[in-house]
């Protein structure tokens, strides 16, 4: 079996079997490349002269092979346009395009595939911003400026903590916008909140007190990287930090909390509880991990400053670009107490050495130019309008006073909690009803550390509810998704 490479705009590996004859071998190699999808529909093949020269074949041999595949319907030859792979050429029983693969999968609160059999027409699941508003033009301008100004060493291996340009920009921005007290030397850039939690679990170990309900994946990440999880109850004033001094949390050395906008309940940690949390951490030389995933988005009052500003020596601040820009940016940051900088830097080095640098340079320029501030201000206004429309529609429920549920957690963030009343529909009934209206929602029941086995397990301490993500749909799709939500909740 002889192997050759052909350049068609990109390199293509062809295995031409000389035992079958040059023409037949080329036909078989091209046919196989079309069938297995390496030559996609519409791909333009090189001229017979070019391919013959590259493969060391006679031009007539290549022409004959092309003619045979045109006759079979694998190729289409058009005068003046050359020879291309036919549209039917990649449609085999074993092939499935990426677009079709995506269209049949659901997404989780983090925007990850869930394996659901199909994607519903309306999406109000939480976890992502409106990706159609990613600031493409401003991001491209920032990337161009950043790459042009970058020193040569920026394109090589670098500091595991991340590019100094981004760490400096973040130190300035976080201090100004979120009240975080830090400098560039105490910031580590990571590839998302998941990696940040994984590194913290490796370094800190022991038991992590983690809010309940919360994102189940985060619980799993902490456990899979060597730490234990103790579920910390949440109410309308945020995490029950008073329980941290009780027997259930005797061994807990770390508490992971979402003080600005608890996920998914939506409450803000009460000032007295903030102080109690800081005192707990200081008393036992413990660590607070502050997950500030959407702290920039507040609508009814001034933003609540980060807990980190109250106790920078005991708090790890975890921030991310996933909600402000989009998960595809794959950049998050850990602002660390001084004593954790060395251990976390080594853990990051061993995990992947460093996060990619070009995106870091771009984000640094995006922040330094204040394009980031302008983007967040525009997004805040857009999401507030959506929040207000959601509240208005659910308050009246298509002209009738709302009953059977209460809307909460709407002072901030990109999601709201529809808390179901005992006299109304159950969570399972709402989700079933939503599917009938082609609406994708997330139930609160899936977010508990130990989901209730049945509806009888639900109580005031463990309510039933629906988490509505008003950030995910496009501007055009959002009103239709709200219509489906209103119909879902208006059956009684």
């Amino acid at each position: 079996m002889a192997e050759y490479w052909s350049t068609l705009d990109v390199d293509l590996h062809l295995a031409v079997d000389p035992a079958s004859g040059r023409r037949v071998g080329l036909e078989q190699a091209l046919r196989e490349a079309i069938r297995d999808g390496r030559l996609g529909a519409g791909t333009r093949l090189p001229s017979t002269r070019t391919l013959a020269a590259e493969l060391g074949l006679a031009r007539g041999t290549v022409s004959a092979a092309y003619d045979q595949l045109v006759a079979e319907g694998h190729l289409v030859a058009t005068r003046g346009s050359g020879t291309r792979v036919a549209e039917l050429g990649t449609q085999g029983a074993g092939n499935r395009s990426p677009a079709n693969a995506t269209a049949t999968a659901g997404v989780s609160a983090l925007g990850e595939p869930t394996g659901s059999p199909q994607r519903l027409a309306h999406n109000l699941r939480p976890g992502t911003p409106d990706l159609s508003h990613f600031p493409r033009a401003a991001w491209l301008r920032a990337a161009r400026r950043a790459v042009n100004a970058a020193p040569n060493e920026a394109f090589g291996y670098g500091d595991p903590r991340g590019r100094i340009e981004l760490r400096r920009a973040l130190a300035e921005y976080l201090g100004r916008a979120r009240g975080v007290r830090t400098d560039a030397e105490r910031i580590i850039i990571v590839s998302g909140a998941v990696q940040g939690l994984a590194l913290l679990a490796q370094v800190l170990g022991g038991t992590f007190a983690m809010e309940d309900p919360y994102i189940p994946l985060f619980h799993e990440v902490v456990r899979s990287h060597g730490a234990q999880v103790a579920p910390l109850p949440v109410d309308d004033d945020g995490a029950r930090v008073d329980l941290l001094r009780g027997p259930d949390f005797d061994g807990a050395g770390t508490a992971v909390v979402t003080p600005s906008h608890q996920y998914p309940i939506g409450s803000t940690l009460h000032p007295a509880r903030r102080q109690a949390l800081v005192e707990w951490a200081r008393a036992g030389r413990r660590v607070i991990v502050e997950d500030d995933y959407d702290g920039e988005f507040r609508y009814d009052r001034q933003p609540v400053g980060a807990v980190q500003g109250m106790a920078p020596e005991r708090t790890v601040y975890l921030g991310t670009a996933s909600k402000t820009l989009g998960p595809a940016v794959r950049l998050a940051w850990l602002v660390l107490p001084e004593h954790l900088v060395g251990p976390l830097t080594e853990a990051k080095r061993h995990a992947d050495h460093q996060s990619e640098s070009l995106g870091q340079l771009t984000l640094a320029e995006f922040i330094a130019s204040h394009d980031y501030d302008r983007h967040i201000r525009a997004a805040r206004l857009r999401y507030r309008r959506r929040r207000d429309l959601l509240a208005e529609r659910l308050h009246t429920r298509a002209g009738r006073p709302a009953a059977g549920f209460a809307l909460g957690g709407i002072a901030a963030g990109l999601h709201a909690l529809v808390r179901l009343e005992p006299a109304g529909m159950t969570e399972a009934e709402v989700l079933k009803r939503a599917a009938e209206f082609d609406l994708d929602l997330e139930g609160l029941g899936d977010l508990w550390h130990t989901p209730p086995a049945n509806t009888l397990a639900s109580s005031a301490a463990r309510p039933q509810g629906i988490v509505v993500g008003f950030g995910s749909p496009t501007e055009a799709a959002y009103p239709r998704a709200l219509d489906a939500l209103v119909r879902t909740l208006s059956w009684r």
Side-chain angles (χ1 to χ4, degrees), residues 161-467:
R161 292 176 298 175
R163 291 296 308 172
I164 187 62
E165 296 90 342
L166 179 55
R167 291 187 283 123
R168 285 172 178 162
L170 284 170
E172 186 277 331
Y173 170 77
L174 294 173
R176 169 170 52 81
R178 302 295 299 125
V180 172
R181 295 161 55 190
T182 190
D183 55 55
E185 299 304 309
R186 295 195 291 120
I187 296 177
I188 292 181
I189 307 301
V190 293
S191 301
V194 168
Q195 187 183 48
L197 281 173
L199 296 177
L200 288 167
Q202 291 174 27
V203 169
L204 298 175
T207 298
F208 278 47
M210 301 184 74
E211 292 176 334
D212 187 26
Y214 191 40
I215 299 172
L217 173 62
F218 287 3
H219 288 183
E220 295 167 10
V221 166
V222 168
R223 283 195 296 265
S224 67
H225 287 82
Q228 301 299 314
V229 173
L232 180 63
V234 173
D235 61 21
D236 290 337
D237 286 327
R240 289 284 310 277
V241 299
D242 56 304
L243 299 178
L244 291 173
R245 296 184 181 275
D248 291 340
F249 298 93
D250 275 346
T254 304
V256 182
V257 292
T258 51
S260 295
H261 187 229
Q262 201 279 330
Y263 186 86
I265 300 297
S267 52
T268 299
L269 191 63
H270 190 278
R273 293 190 182 182
R274 287 178 164 235
Q275 186 61 45
L277 178 63
V278 168
E279 292 172 358
W280 169 83
R282 285 175 172 161
R285 299 185 62 81
R286 303 179 183 99
V287 174
I288 301 165
V289 177
E290 179 176 12
D291 179 2
D292 196 33
Y293 66 101
D294 64 359
E296 289 91 347
F297 297 126
R298 294 203 69 81
Y299 310 120
D300 296 328
R301 61 188 179 205
Q302 290 296 316
V304 177
V307 168
Q308 192 271 357
M310 300 172 62
E313 77 286 0
R314 303 311 317 165
T315 305
V316 174
Y317 178 91
L318 173 58
T320 176
S322 293
K323 304 298 182 290
T324 53
L325 292 170
V329 175
R330 301 312 304 141
L331 290 174
W333 38 91
L334 295 171
V335 178
L336 300 169
E338 183 64 36
H339 72 280
L340 290 180
V341 173
L344 263 296
T345 300
E346 284 305 297
K348 173 64 173 174
R349 187 196 310 275
H350 296 154
D352 61 2
H353 193 278
Q354 67 186 74
S355 297
E356 63 86 22
S357 296
L358 296 183
Q360 293 185 55
L361 291 169
T362 301
L363 181 56
E365 173 62 27
F366 198 67
I367 294 172
S369 67
H370 298 296
D371 279 336
Y372 192 61
D373 290 87
R374 285 186 282 271
H375 169 73
I376 288 175
R377 285 197 296 271
R380 189 183 294 131
L381 291 173
R382 183 167 59 252
Y383 293 136
R384 178 169 185 162
R385 288 194 295 268
R386 293 190 184 193
R387 189 282 309 261
D388 291 347
L389 183 58
L390 169 67
E392 177 187 343
R393 294 293 304 276
L394 291 191
H395 178 71
T396 59
R397 275 221 339 222
R400 298 189 297 278
F405 65 87
L407 186 64
I410 61 173
L414 302 180
H415 76 272
L417 177 66
V418 178
R419 188 172 302 200
L420 302 175
E421 304 294 344
M425 286 184 284
T426 66
E427 189 175 306
E429 288 173 330
V430 172
L431 293 175
K432 182 175 183 295
R433 179 77 169 170
E436 293 172 359
F437 287 110
D438 221 11
L439 173 64
D440 199 3
L441 292 173
E442 179 163 68
L444 188 59
D446 291 335
L447 300 174
W448 297 100
H449 182 264
T450 305
N454 52 56
T455 55
L456 297 178
S458 298
S459 64
R462 180 167 282 197
Q464 294 192 64
I466 303 298
V467 187

